[in-house]
Amino acid sequence: MDKFLIEGNGPLSGEVEASGAKNAALPILCASLLIDDELRLSNVPALHDVITTKKLLAQMGVAVSSPGPGLFAANASGITTCVAPYELVKTMRASILVLGPLLAKRGHAEVSLPGGCAIGARPVDLHLMGLKAMGAEISLEGGFINARASRLKGARIYFDTVTVTGTENLLMAAVLADGETVLENAAREPEIVDLANCLTAMGAKISGAGTGTIVIQGVRDLHGADHRVIPDRIEGGTFLVAAAITRGKVRLTRTDPNALDPVLVKLQQAGAKVSTGEDWIEVDMQGRRPTSVNLHTMAHPGFPTDMQAQFMALDCYAEGVGTIRETIFENRFMHAQELLRLGADIRIEGNTAIVTGREKLKGAPVMATDLRASAALVLAAIAAEGTTKIDRVYHIDRGYEHIETKLGALGARIERVRQ
Ligand code: EPZ
């Protein structure tokens, strides 16, 4: 398993490009199952989770190809099976996103129940609730979700809890259903809007994506399309925090400044000078130590849970005491234990972390536990004194494209040690 060796090395400076959004690319790749035609994508990030999704589609008989960097094509007309096996699903929960499209287009799906993961139980009960409301027969046998439906029927579906992939699964189920579907208390993330835009290009009839109520008029068939995946706001936000934690100045390019509002507000509260342009965001700490910020995670448009760990790392170095409350997942403070090994001062009380900032932390061996926790450890390490060794960096490769190269170009000293 690869490791990172990181030498703390002063303020970052320069420009870095955002890659395509992992959490938009994954559902959109699965949308290829809705057509007997070719879906052609660009700006698809080179991530482990994208490779896993391609494997999942290919083992179903979908013709997948990568005709060039960031390009992806899929044609599901020759699909041979509607089964998503445990071996692949256990490595990536987002595999559950094949359920809605398979059921909508093929009338059958057998998807292994995704296990829990480091950050929580991650149930899929709301996905199944919605599909049942649309007339699917669903049984759980041998760790598999077995779903059948001759043709799904439009329904009014209310989500007790806002769920991103739940909204995506039911959006993809509804586009081929008979009649109108209304998704109430739907997730509003930019990745949902990107999926809806791609489905619309394929001929779907959708209104309200990006709001809490999405209305879909089912159609008989969809067709192939070309779609460019939006920039990754979480990868981009991570690089902006890297600028702040090292007291540097970084411009993030090829991004969407409007998708990171809550993060930019918090960076300004931390003392950063933030400026934006049409497709760029610049954070300039002007050499100053950050100031502690308080935050609590919420569904979009609130502060994103996927940026919580990164801001905990920032607060570890800030002037003052910051409180961080995680309201989305029940176990998303795994990075705290590892940050303590670098000398951080963090006290966990239930779903709240109280972080007393330190002028400097000291490098030490630490272990990555989940995707965004790993990013937080990288951020703490590039600002620390001395050397930090991070084990299990495969977690970070799931969601960050060549992170050591991108941060290295900004002045960070990160060496990947292949084992
Ligand atoms: C998506 O996960 C993202 N993953 C996560 O990003 C992100 O952290 C999360 O949304 C929240 O924004 C992808 O898009 C591939 P949820 P998802 O369903 O859809 C509960 C990353 O780092 N819930 O919105 O699995 C659930 O337990 C990853 O890129 C139910 O109770 O999250 C959680 O408490 C990590 N029943 C809350 O809803 C359900 O059926 C939100 O989860 C579904 C969810």
Side-chain angles (χ1 to χ4, degrees), residues 22-23 122-126 163-165 306 328 332 372:
K22 167 175 90 78
N23 290 348
R122 316 279 303 266
V124 291
D125 57 306
L126 298 176
T163 161
V164 173
T165 49
D306 291 350
I328 305 292
R332 203 168 195 176
R372 305 305 172 181

Side-chain angles (χ1 to χ4, degrees), residues 185-249:
N185 199 28
R188 300 162 57 178
E189 271 70 3
E191 293 76 30
I192 306 262
V193 177
D194 201 33
L195 172 62
N197 289 340
C198 180
L199 292 169
T200 302
M202 294 160 67
K205 298 197 179 332
I206 302 168
S207 60
T211 75
T213 302
I214 306 177
V215 181
I216 306 105
Q217 303 299 336
V219 295
R220 285 299 304 182
D221 276 309
L222 297 174
H223 51 73
D226 292 277
H227 181 78
R228 180 177 176 78
V229 173
I230 56 171
D232 194 314
R233 62 193 166 103
I234 304 301
E235 183 216 25
T238 304
F239 292 136
L240 296 176
V241 173
I245 205 169
T246 58
R247 310 185 187 186
K249 176 179 177 181

Side-chain angles (χ1 to χ4, degrees), residues 23-35 39 94-106 127 131 134 152 159 164-177 181 183 191-192 195-196 198-199 202 204 206 214 216 218-219 222:
N23 290 348
L26 299 184
I28 289 170
L29 292 175
C30 296
S32 62
L33 292 165
L34 288 164
I35 52 178
L39 179 61
S95 309
I96 192 73
L97 287 166
V98 302
L99 182 59
L102 280 174
L103 207 44
K105 178 70 177 172
R106 317 286 165 185
H127 299 235
L131 292 171
M134 297 177 77
L152 293 171
F159 291 104
V164 173
T165 49
T167 300
E168 291 165 343
N169 238 336
L170 287 155
L171 176 56
M172 291 192 279
V175 294
L176 289 176
T181 298
L183 303 182
E191 293 76 30
I192 306 262
L195 172 62
C198 180
L199 292 169
M202 294 160 67
I206 302 168
I214 306 177
I216 306 105
V219 295
L222 297 174

Side-chain angles (χ1 to χ4, degrees), residues 36-55:
D36 290 324
D37 197 348
E38 187 169 74
L39 179 61
R40 291 172 298 281
L41 305 175
S42 58
N43 202 35
V44 176
L47 300 173
H48 200 270
D49 275 6
V50 169
I51 294 164
T52 302
T53 306
K54 288 179 185 175
K55 276 186 197 156

Side-chain angles (χ1 to χ4, degrees), residues 7 26 39 56 80 98 100 138 141 160 181 208 215 218 222 237 244 257 262 296 303-304 342-343 368 399-400:
E7 283 294 328
L26 299 184
L39 179 61
L56 180 61
T80 53
V98 302
I138 292 180
E141 289 151 28
D160 297 339
T181 298
V215 181
L222 297 174
H296 62 279
F303 186 92
L342 301 177
Y400 289 88

